[in-house]
């Protein structure tokens, strides 16, 4: 190939690269006009009351999310759960909590390390919060006795450099989980690393809980978010085997991709008494049709493993999606649900999260008038929703903070 041709080729590749670069929309004026699917029209039938919702509305809506968004767990997957205590320390956090590390085995094959805190002094069984963490249980608790997870070694081998990174990450997410604060308020906390349930990369579904389906895969098969959500149900089964915890009063909680997961877990498994979505954005609480920040196109190309194959078909074609995310929030009804946004988290479309939360109200109303108390997106720094639907907008970045936990705990005090 001569010099001229090489230059042309390089130019073409650069041009294509540029043309394909995703540019998010952050301009409210450029949000397209859209009309949302009616949450009360399911499979061509109108849901008139809560009985209709329970008879066909809920199941039909769930089915659409399985088919078009997250995928379905194949029948016959072994959901058996065994737990073993690997470590126990009585009197952590200045004497107020018991910490335990459990090895949870799912389907006889998948090993998950679950870190649990329960208040030391308690009357009876306690309610609690269950959520996946990003980078390992050791990031939630700086104590060297907490087993490290592979959160920093995406797909690769653990060499000396990576071991060091893991060690340095000890306790780095302690504030995000606020375990001591939860204990002080009388709640248990249980958490496990997402990587234990399903590695967060496109590995052709060869790892994590997907090994349990023995390779039966198709267009509607479970993606990673569905794997994590199913895994959360298994961790709830595990909590049911722990004496101090009341598994009928567990809130499933998650931040960002794990907030998407918390909503899907809560939708699928009605044993979750509450769901909390923290800054979950596209594919979580935010409406897909607004095309603001992250979009279906971008999320399905950057994280193809998160969803089922079919979701990609709605890339740049969101208007054709048979569902939108307000219907995901509605699937929690009549159980309490909480959505939180942050002012600077534009990628997650905070306003789209609010609108979606607001539009879920029609389903909550079937169970008795829900008062959300706001017509417009509220100012940051206060909790809105006077009933089973809670929302706040926090000033600041994409994160789950002490301020967020303050609102969650007040909401949980009321409903758990
Ligand atoms: C981003 C992704 C978001 C969100 C976030 C996270 O890269 O685009 O959808 O899930 O990651 O999980 O931190």
């Amino acid at each position: 190939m001569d010099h001229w041709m090489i230059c042309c080729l390089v130019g073409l590749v650069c041009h294509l690269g540029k043309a394909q670069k995703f540019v998010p929309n952050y301009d409210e004026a450029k949000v397209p006009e859209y009309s949302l699917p009616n949450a009360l029209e399911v499979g061509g039938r109108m849901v008139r009351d809560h009985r209709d919702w329970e008879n066909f509305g809920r199941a039909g809506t769930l089915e659409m999310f399985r088919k078009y968004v997250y995928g379905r767990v194949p029948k016959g997957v072994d959901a058996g759960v065994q737990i073993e205590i690997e470590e126990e320390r009585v009197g952590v956090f200045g004497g107020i909590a018991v910490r335990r590390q459990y090895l949870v085995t799912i389907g006889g094959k998948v090993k998950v390390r679950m870190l649990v805190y329960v208040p030391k002094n308690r009357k009876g069984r306690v309610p609690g919060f269950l959520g996946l963490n990003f980078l390992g249980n050791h990031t939630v608790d700086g104590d060297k006795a907490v087993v490290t997870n592979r959160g920093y070694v995406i797909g690769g081998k653990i060499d000396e450099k990576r071991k060091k990174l893991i060690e340095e990450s000890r306790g780095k997410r302690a504030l995000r989980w606020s375990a001591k604060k939860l204990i002080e308020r009388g709640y248990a906390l249980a958490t496990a690393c997402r990587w234990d349930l399903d590695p967060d990369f496109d590995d052709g579904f060869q790892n994590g809980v997907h090994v349990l389906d023995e390779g039966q895969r198709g267009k509607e098969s479970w993606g990673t978010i569905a794997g994590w959500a199913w895994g959360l149900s298994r961790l709830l089964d595990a909590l049911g085997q722990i004496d101090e915890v009341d598994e009928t009063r567990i809130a499933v909680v998650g931040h960002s991709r794990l907030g998407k997961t918390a909503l899907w877990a809560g939708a699928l498994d009605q044993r979750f008494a509450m769901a909390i979505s923290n800054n979950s954005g596209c594919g979580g609480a935010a409406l897909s049709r607004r095309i603001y920040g992250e979009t279906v196109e971008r999320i399905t190309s950057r994280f193809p493993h998160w969803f089922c194959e079919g979701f990609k078909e709605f890339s740049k074609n969101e208007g054709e999606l048979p569902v939108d995310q307000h219907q995901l929030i509605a699937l929690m009804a009549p159980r309490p649900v909480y959505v939180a946004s942050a002012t600077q988290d534009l990628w997650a479309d905070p306003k789209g999260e609010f609108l979606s939360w607001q539009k879920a109200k029609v389903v909550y109303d079937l169970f008795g008038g829900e008062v959300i108390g706001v017509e417009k997106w509220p100012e940051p720094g206060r909790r809105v929703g006077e009933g089973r639907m809670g929302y706040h907008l926090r000033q600041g970045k994409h994160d789950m903070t002490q301020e967020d936990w303050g609102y969650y705990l007040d909401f949980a005090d009321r409903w758990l």
Side-chain angles (χ1 to χ4, degrees):
M1 211 181 305
D2 66 17
H3 181 70
W4 184 82
M5 269 179 84
I6 291 174
C7 286
C8 284
L9 262 177
V10 169
L12 184 70
V13 168
C14 290
H15 174 76
L16 284 176
K18 253 198 187 140
Q20 280 167 8
K21 190 165 183 295
F22 175 73
V23 182
N25 170 39
Y26 291 133
D27 180 353
E28 204 52 48
K30 290 196 182 134
V31 169
E33 274 193 29
Y34 60 89
S35 71
L36 291 177
N38 180 351
L40 297 180
E41 195 183 326
V42 184
R45 288 166 76 189
M46 287 310 290
V47 172
R48 289 154 314 165
D49 54 26
H50 69 89
R51 272 180 224 93
D52 283 353
W53 179 254
E54 270 147 14
N55 288 339
F56 67 87
R58 187 182 141 74
T61 307
L62 259 183
E63 190 50 23
M64 288 190 281
F65 278 103
R66 285 196 186 97
K67 198 170 156 102
Y68 302 113
V69 186
Y70 305 107
R72 75 179 75 247
V73 181
K75 286 207 179 79
V77 166
D78 183 352
V81 163
Q82 270 122 33
I83 67 170
E84 266 166 65
I85 298 179
E86 290 195 313
E87 189 249 8
E88 180 183 63
R89 188 145 166 234
V90 179
V92 295
F93 303 147
I96 61 170
V98 178
R99 179 186 72 214
R100 271 193 223 117
Q101 297 182 73
Y102 291 90
L103 180 65
V104 180
T105 306
I106 304 174
K109 289 188 185 150
V110 181
K111 306 273 182 198
V112 179
R113 292 210 148 80
M114 180 167 74
L115 174 64
V116 177
Y117 301 89
V118 288
K120 195 169 145 228
N121 297 318
R122 36 169 211 281
K123 286 190 216 100
R125 304 173 83 198
V126 293
F129 295 85
L130 167 65
L132 298 179
N133 62 68
F134 274 75
L135 298 171
N137 295 344
H138 64 286
T139 63
V140 177
D141 188 327
D143 189 333
K144 286 225 181 265
V146 176
V147 176
T148 54
N149 296 80
R150 302 166 30 115
Y152 275 109
V153 287
I154 306 181
K157 277 199 270 170
I158 306 186
D159 54 22
E160 285 310 310
K161 197 170 141 218
R162 284 163 168 172
K163 265 192 201 152
K164 191 165 167 267
L165 272 179
I166 291 176
E167 280 309 322
E168 283 168 4
S169 65
R170 276 192 186 280
K172 286 276 158 60
R173 288 286 181 266
L175 286 183
R176 183 175 276 182
W177 289 93
S178 303
K180 183 167 179 231
K181 192 166 171 176
L182 268 63
I183 293 290
E184 284 165 353
R185 300 275 293 253
Y187 295 95
L189 171 68
T191 183
C193 180
R194 66 186 157 138
W195 284 80
D196 280 8
L197 279 172
D198 197 32
D200 194 354
F201 65 100
D202 193 4
D203 64 348
F205 304 103
Q206 300 300 308
N207 289 301
V209 292
H210 291 106
V211 302
L212 299 173
D213 70 15
E214 287 158 2
Q216 321 164 41
R217 290 205 64 85
K219 196 170 155 196
E220 291 177 15
S221 293
W222 50 341
T224 293
I225 290 177
W228 289 333
W230 183 82
L232 281 164
S233 286
R234 305 292 69 78
L235 297 182
L236 182 60
D237 298 340
L239 289 179
Q241 299 180 36
I242 299 176
D243 287 343
E244 299 98 328
V245 178
D246 181 353
E247 79 274 21
T248 67
R249 290 188 293 152
I250 297 293
V252 59
V253 55
H255 168 62
S256 205
R257 68 195 68 183
L258 302 173
K260 310 180 206 298
T261 306
L263 284 176
W264 184 229
L268 283 169
D269 189 340
Q270 287 178 281
R271 294 176 304 160
F272 284 114
M274 178 187 288
I276 301 173
S277 146
N278 190 89
N279 304 182
S280 62
C282 181
L287 294 172
S288 301
R289 280 169 171 76
R290 275 174 45 87
I291 331 252
Y292 186 104
E294 190 172 29
T295 62
V296 175
E297 174 200 7
R298 165 65 203 228
I299 203 166
T300 54
S301 51
R302 175 78 181 76
F303 304 103
H305 58 294
W306 282 359
F307 302 93
C308 70
E309 288 269 313
F311 195 40
K312 286 192 196 89
E313 288 169 17
F314 302 98
S315 151
K316 293 196 179 151
N317 189 21
E318 291 80 353
E320 292 303 312
L321 252 170
V323 277
D324 212 317
Q325 300 303 109
H326 60 305
Q327 290 161 281
L328 176 66
I329 298 171
L331 280 166
M332 278 304 294
R335 294 162 296 154
V337 70
Y338 201 106
V339 172
S341 310
T343 52
Q344 292 167 25
D345 187 19
L346 299 184
W347 182 245
D349 186 12
K351 187 169 182 189
E353 293 176 328
F354 167 73
L355 292 171
S356 174
W357 171 81
Q358 197 184 36
K359 300 283 181 218
K361 178 177 182 291
V362 289
V363 176
Y364 276 81
D365 282 342
L366 300 171
F367 295 87
E370 186 69 27
V371 183
I372 58 176
V374 275
E375 285 302 318
K376 288 204 188 113
W377 197 20
E379 289 297 305
R382 71 187 176 103
R383 177 163 72 83
V384 297
E386 288 156 32
R388 288 166 190 265
M389 299 177 67
Y391 177 87
H392 73 259
L393 172 66
R394 173 179 46 75
Q395 195 89 57
K397 292 191 300 209
H398 185 67
D399 197 357
M400 182 156 76
T401 68
Q402 300 265 298
E403 182 185 338
D404 295 310
W405 275 107
Y407 299 119
Y408 300 153
L409 287 165
D410 290 346
F411 190 68
D413 283 352
R414 177 143 180 227
W415 294 111
L416 274 188

